[in-house]
Amino acid sequence: MPSRKEPFRPSNTGSSKRLKIDTMQSIDTLTGLKQVIREQRVSGRRIGLVPTMGNLHSGHLELIKAARLSADWVVCSIFVNPMQFGAGEDLDAYPRTLDADRERLETAGCDCLFHPAASEVYPQGLETQTIVSVPRLGLEHCGRSRPGHFDGVTTVVCKLFNLCQPDLAFFGLKDYQQYLIIQKMVADLQFPLEMIGVETVREADGLAMSSRNSYLTPDQRSQAPALYQTLMQVRTQIEAGNRQYGALEESAKQHLIAAGLTPDYVAICNGDTLLPARPTDSFLAILAAVFLGKTRLIDNIRLTLPD
Ligand code: PAF
């Protein structure tokens, strides 16, 4: 397992390292992308990649900010990846807001937007597409409720790494399981890049920013912060010395139900392996997913206990 690093923590005060003078390039073909990547590599610039599915919010913009601080040239991909959506999931409904996203990226100082169509990324369709799959880590938690989801993620991220050849790649830690799975893929397939995890950006009431928050009705939106509050309560109990993790998971589920949410899972895990936490583990991740109506929200908290 690669060594654990301190995540990039967003702040409102940090300013980007470089002055941005050029306008952002906007590319939707592999040929166009290959050309600009070749130019960047020849000029020796460090490429930073921020992979997204668009409908950008402040959490995504923190990824761009982090990328601007450590890379010389930043490419953001926007691609709603059909391979990571299961049957009956929200592929068609997923918010597509390319014009607004382009403006936000330009303002944030992104150098290049890559927004391919599915026919560019999967020219032969999905049926015969080679699958990149990280075993075990992808089967638990979100993988249990969304079979095949993480295979879709690792396959498209592998393609994006090959196409964009980043030196640095930036991912939000709200999707902590996804982050660990991609980190394992990077290590196992020996991608010559560094992954940077960027801390979750939250609304004032604690709700983690997510493109799927826009699906919530006003009533659901007012119930949604209970997800983060519940995670924080579990954290408080653990910090107070409670190691009855099974019982803590159960009472967290009851708390979510009482707040009007339908828990998919709550899991107190070893923060590196995502296996069930043992009382002796010191780095923990508390992961949860809930449904509010049809909308599925996820969140997590990581904590290190003193020895
Ligand atoms: O986290 C996301 O937005 C997506 O899973 C990703 C990493 C862009 C792959 O499609």
Side-chain angles (χ1 to χ4, degrees):
M1 186 64 63
S3 64
R4 194 175 343 123
K5 290 195 342 171
E6 274 299 296
F8 177 84
R9 289 186 193 283
S11 85
N12 294 329
T13 51
S15 65
S16 295
K17 191 174 69 173
R18 304 169 284 132
L19 275 179
K20 182 83 176 53
I21 321 156
D22 302 331
T23 51
M24 184 177 73
Q25 288 170 292
S26 185
I27 295 173
D28 61 2
T29 61
L30 300 197
T31 329
L33 182 74
K34 278 181 192 152
Q35 163 99 25
V36 294
I37 295 297
R38 201 175 309 118
E39 286 163 13
Q40 298 310 318
R41 294 238 71 93
V42 167
S43 67
R45 294 199 185 94
R46 270 160 74 80
I47 299 176
L49 169 66
V50 179
T52 79
M53 298 207 299
N55 192 232
L56 304 180
H57 50 66
S58 303
H60 295 113
L61 299 181
E62 286 300 333
L63 300 178
I64 302 288
K65 188 196 271 184
R68 286 206 70 205
L69 284 170
S70 41
D72 303 313
W73 187 82
V74 177
V75 54
C76 174
S77 61
I78 294 186
F79 178 61
V80 182
N81 173 32
M83 197 175 167
Q84 68 188 74
F85 288 79
E89 290 190 346
D90 55 342
L91 173 61
D92 293 335
Y94 200 85
R96 287 155 172 91
T97 52
L98 188 60
D99 289 341
D101 290 348
R102 194 184 275 116
E103 266 179 41
R104 302 201 82 181
L105 287 174
E106 180 112 50
T107 310
C110 180
D111 296 289
C112 180
L113 163 62
F114 177 51
H115 58 101
S119 55
E120 286 282 311
V121 180
Y122 300 110
Q124 317 266 311
L126 294 180
E127 281 288 291
T128 58
Q129 169 63 48
T130 298
I131 296 171
V132 180
S133 183
V134 172
R136 204 196 61 71
L137 252 178
L139 296 179
E140 293 303 318
H141 316 303
C142 286
R144 196 179 278 275
S145 322
R146 304 186 67 190
H149 166 68
F150 287 117
D151 287 354
V153 170
T154 40
T155 302
V156 82
V157 170
C158 187
K159 279 174 181 271
L160 290 168
F161 285 170
N162 284 330
L163 292 168
C164 299
Q165 299 175 39
D167 299 285
L168 302 156
F170 297 80
F171 294 89
L173 292 174
K174 180 177 77 70
D175 301 296
Y176 186 59
Q177 187 177 9
Q178 165 175 285
Y179 175 80
L180 287 184
I181 287 170
I182 298 172
Q183 195 178 50
K184 178 84 167 74
M185 177 187 81
V186 165
D188 287 354
L189 300 185
Q190 295 163 329
F191 277 103
L193 62 85
E194 187 186 345
M195 274 184 60
I196 316 275
V198 178
E199 200 44 86
T200 306
V201 179
R202 298 183 180 281
E203 304 284 358
D205 58 10
L207 177 65
M209 289 201 184
S210 161
S211 300
R212 291 192 166 97
N213 292 349
S214 63
Y215 297 154
L216 300 174
T217 64
D219 276 356
Q220 291 169 339
R221 175 64 189 80
S222 65
Q223 291 169 318
L227 174 55
Y228 180 59
Q229 286 156 11
T230 305
L231 293 176
M232 289 300 279
Q233 282 172 11
V234 174
R235 179 196 180 124
T236 306
Q237 293 275 327
I238 296 174
E239 283 176 339
N242 190 334
R243 299 289 178 268
Q244 306 295 313
Y245 293 145
L248 280 175
E249 289 168 355
E250 228 15 77
S251 70
K253 283 187 210 161
Q254 293 311 320
H255 192 267
L256 290 167
I257 292 168
L261 284 61
T262 306
D264 179 9
Y265 69 85
V266 176
I268 303 170
C269 310
N270 175 295
D272 289 315
T273 63
L274 296 192
L275 291 170
R278 291 166 306 184
T280 49
D281 288 338
S282 57
F283 178 50
L284 302 179
I286 313 164
L287 311 177
V290 295
F291 286 97
L292 278 145
K294 283 190 182 154
T295 305
R296 187 171 180 279
L297 300 181
I298 61 171
D299 201 351
N300 74 85
I301 288 178
R302 283 142 280 115
L303 67 151
T304 305
L305 298 172
D307 293 331

